[in-house]
Amino acid sequence: MTRPLSRASQLRRTQSSLDLAAEPIQGGELKQAWIYRQIRARILEGVLAKGARLPSTRHLAERWQVSRATVDLAYDQLRSEGYLVSTAGSGTHVAAKVPDQFFDAGARAGDSPRPQAKPPRRGISGVDVAQLVASVPDVPFLARVADPSLFPLDRWRKELQVGARRVTAEQLSDSEPLGLHALRVQIARYLGVARGISCDAEQVVVLSGIRQGLDLCARLLLSPEDRVMVEDPGYLHAAPIFSRHAREVIHVPIDAQGFSVAHARRRAGVRLAHVTPAHQAPTGITMPVSRRLALLSWAEEADCWLIEDDYDSEFSYDSAPLPALKSLDAADRVIHCGSFNKTMFAALRIGYAVLPEKLVPEFRKARHVTGRSTGVIEQLALANFLESGAFARHVRRSRPVYAQRRDMVLQALSDALGPGRLHVSGEQSGFHFVWWLPPEIDLAAFQRNASARGLRFQAISDFCKRAVLPPGLVIGYAALEDKALIRHVEELRQLVPRISG
């Protein structure tokens, strides 16, 4: 017979994620008040569930770049008002009972009209799909994926064994079309803390990855008369997926703040838009809050769905990331897509989408028809991996490794070019950044000489459809073992002055 968990163990197992996403500080706001406001709002909105474990004051201070004493003061105030409780040996948690009179302040807007899902339509055949260049581990500098050598494989084997022992006959019957309920619960909790998204398990669908999410959205929401918008430059797989189900794919140019809402407003009949606001693929631009609000306003006016592709937000190196676009989604128009394939290992094949409530029935029907692609044992293992805090520890251990690798490449380029001459974007997070070449370096000549030395780069122009941008190279550094990276970085350091000279 399984022994019940102690109260301390139960509290430890409610920890739902690794970080609290940070909103910008308001003008004139004290840092203590800023911390207090964000945590209190998340509790009232239900993003931080009752019993959820908060980060330690030390960790939150490091991530939000404030003093630990400031975080202590904010936590003290929240404890004194009954929002938080602290227990020796188990940390700080959201109180089991929060003052009821405050809950109205966190209510979600629900009166605005929402777009209706369209019935599935047959896709348009005969679309040419351009050759897509994949991220490749161990290949400098195409290594824009997680380093599998950093993953705690022994711990994962144990989780798989536990899942195999504990799986029930009902779970083996594959009766949950949206995915294993226990995993969907953990994903919802994780997104609440890490990305600021208030959702429940019934809005979460388990997928094989983000691309499956895009394909499912295209099949369910598009018909041949619809238009779709994608970023230019943008994610290479998006346009081929959408083009099979829509009348037209419109490539919207990005600017210094990401997806151009002004450009989007000039086009009619747009049913769906794909955006990467956290770390624009591939330029790495982070969309500010003001542009996110404008994007949501346009989507509501245009009766358009937004797909938020949140492909690498866990790995922010210099500060905590902004909360997800979905966290601002009062009109319930954003489909938030993410993947554990990026954070854990590529062969896992488990991703997810957070659906607007209107779309849940259509997606459930579609999953009944198309079937599921992720085994129940793997889902059980991942659910426990999240609940136990092992996922949080893995990301925390990996983040400084990737940051160090990024710094090695940046330092080599800076040394080779000289002071003040290195211009990059997207280096604040993710597995890649863009190096914008100085005028004296010819892009084609650089790539030829680099290839002769075993160094491979993708040009930013490879990701452009109509946009014309200055010459730049997308540099991946994450999945390069440290010793090999040191060697490749030295080769890069020596190559730059030869080409620029």
Side-chain angles (χ1 to χ4, degrees):
M1 181 177 179
T2 304
R3 294 177 60 187
L5 293 173
S6 67
R7 176 60 179 163
S9 296
Q10 289 174 340
L11 287 173
R12 282 195 296 271
R13 291 175 68 86
T14 59
Q15 182 174 4
S16 55
S17 190
L18 56 155
D19 287 308
L20 284 170
E23 297 175 354
I25 193 168
Q26 297 176 358
E29 186 176 28
L30 296 176
K31 291 181 179 179
Q32 176 186 338
W34 171 61
I35 296 167
Y36 167 85
R37 172 176 61 83
Q38 293 194 88
I39 295 176
R40 178 181 179 273
R42 284 161 173 75
I43 293 172
L44 298 181
E45 292 166 0
V47 173
L48 283 172
K50 295 176 181 179
R53 184 176 180 179
L54 271 69
S56 68
T57 56
R58 177 189 59 80
H59 178 73
L60 192 61
E62 290 174 354
R63 291 293 285 154
W64 285 10
Q65 298 182 325
V66 296
S67 71
R68 188 173 179 180
T70 301
V71 179
D72 280 329
L73 290 171
Y75 275 25
D76 285 344
Q77 183 176 355
L78 290 161
R79 277 191 292 264
S80 69
E81 295 180 6
Y83 294 101
L84 301 180
V85 292
S86 295
T87 306
S90 63
T92 300
H93 300 76
V94 177
K97 292 185 178 180
V98 175
D100 292 337
Q101 65 267 32
F102 295 119
F103 272 99
D104 289 341
R108 291 173 57 91
D111 297 329
S112 57
R114 298 174 180 175
Q116 300 293 315
K118 293 189 176 183
R121 300 288 185 91
R122 180 176 298 175
I124 303 172
S125 61
V127 176
D128 292 332
V129 179
Q131 182 179 2
L132 303 175
V133 182
S135 301
V136 184
D138 301 324
V139 176
F141 286 89
L142 296 180
R144 303 193 302 268
V145 293
D147 184 349
S149 69
L150 298 179
F151 185 70
L153 192 54
D154 287 342
R155 175 60 188 263
W156 182 247
R157 289 191 182 101
K158 292 178 181 177
E159 298 293 4
L160 290 171
Q161 291 169 355
V162 170
R165 288 197 302 268
R166 294 182 179 177
V167 66
T168 66
E170 181 181 3
Q171 289 168 336
L172 288 174
S173 69
D174 195 24
S175 60
E176 299 180 272
L178 295 181
L180 188 73
H181 184 264
L183 176 57
R184 290 186 285 125
V185 167
Q186 292 305 317
I187 291 173
R189 290 178 179 175
Y190 156 66
L191 292 173
V193 179
R195 305 301 291 128
I197 297 173
S198 178
C199 65
D200 57 43
E202 294 308 308
Q203 294 173 262
V204 177
V205 55
V206 177
L207 305 166
S208 65
I210 291 175
R211 267 181 277 176
Q212 187 182 32
L214 302 187
D215 183 70
L216 198 55
C217 289
R219 292 175 185 276
L220 290 177
L221 303 178
L222 298 176
S223 58
E225 66 268 20
D226 290 326
R227 292 185 171 95
V228 178
M229 285 185 167
V230 298
E231 298 170 327
D232 189 11
Y235 178 47
L236 289 175
H237 291 282
I241 290 173
F242 295 134
S243 64
R244 299 184 63 84
H245 302 277
R247 169 187 174 186
E248 181 185 8
V249 175
I250 302 168
H251 296 263
V252 177
I254 64 164
D255 58 24
Q257 295 186 339
F259 183 91
S260 173
V261 177
H263 186 97
R265 289 186 183 280
R266 295 197 289 269
R267 302 300 294 266
V270 178
R271 181 65 174 168
L272 191 67
H274 173 265
V275 293
T276 54
H279 192 236
Q280 199 276 329
T283 65
I285 293 169
T286 296
M287 185 183 290
V289 172
S290 57
R291 176 64 60 86
R292 297 180 188 214
L293 293 173
L295 176 61
L296 290 168
S297 177
W298 165 75
E300 185 172 7
E301 295 167 6
D303 193 24
C304 175
W305 298 105
L306 297 175
I307 300 180
E308 178 182 22
D309 187 335
D310 203 44
Y311 64 99
D312 65 0
S313 62
E314 288 85 359
F315 295 101
S316 57
Y317 306 120
D318 303 322
S319 62
L322 287 173
L325 178 69
K326 181 66 177 174
S327 70
L328 303 171
D329 182 26
D332 210 20
R333 296 176 183 273
V334 176
I335 303 163
H336 178 92
C337 293
S339 175
F340 293 102
N341 306 325
K342 279 284 190 181
T343 48
M344 293 171 62
F345 54 93
L348 178 65
R349 310 320 306 154
I350 299 182
Y352 55 86
V354 179
L355 306 173
E357 293 179 6
K358 278 280 187 184
L359 296 183
V360 171
E362 286 294 332
F363 275 73
R364 182 180 287 110
K365 290 178 186 176
R367 297 299 276 169
H368 267 300
V369 173
T370 62
R372 275 74 75 195
S373 56
T374 303
V376 67
I377 304 299
E378 289 81 0
Q379 292 185 64
L380 281 167
L382 180 54
N384 197 56
F385 197 69
L386 287 164
E387 187 179 15
S388 67
F391 176 76
R393 291 190 293 273
H394 164 60
V395 173
R396 285 181 178 142
R397 283 194 298 262
S398 301
R399 188 186 289 131
V401 175
Y402 295 141
Q404 183 178 22
R405 293 174 181 177
R406 173 205 64 173
D407 292 344
M408 289 172 61
V409 183
L410 289 173
Q411 188 62 55
L413 289 171
S414 180
D415 291 345
L417 292 167
R421 302 191 67 243
L422 175 62
H423 299 287
V424 297
S425 64
E427 76 283 5
Q428 74 280 359
S429 63
F431 295 152
H432 76 274
F433 63 84
V434 176
W435 172 32
W436 302 98
L437 301 183
E440 67 271 18
I441 295 183
D442 178 76
L443 175 63
F446 185 89
Q447 286 187 291
R448 284 195 304 272
N449 282 269
S451 181
R453 291 165 172 79
L455 308 180
R456 295 180 59 193
F457 300 90
Q458 272 187 280
I460 196 72
S461 58
D462 292 343
F463 297 82
C464 296
K465 181 67 173 180
R466 296 182 177 84
V468 179
L469 298 179
L473 294 173
V474 179
I475 298 183
Y477 51 82
L480 287 168
E481 189 269 338
D482 288 343
K483 290 183 180 179
L485 181 60
I486 292 172
R487 183 175 71 255
H488 298 316
V489 161
E490 183 57 32
E491 293 169 343
L492 178 61
R493 191 197 313 270
Q494 295 175 11
L495 178 62
V496 171
R498 292 177 184 173
I499 301 301
S500 58

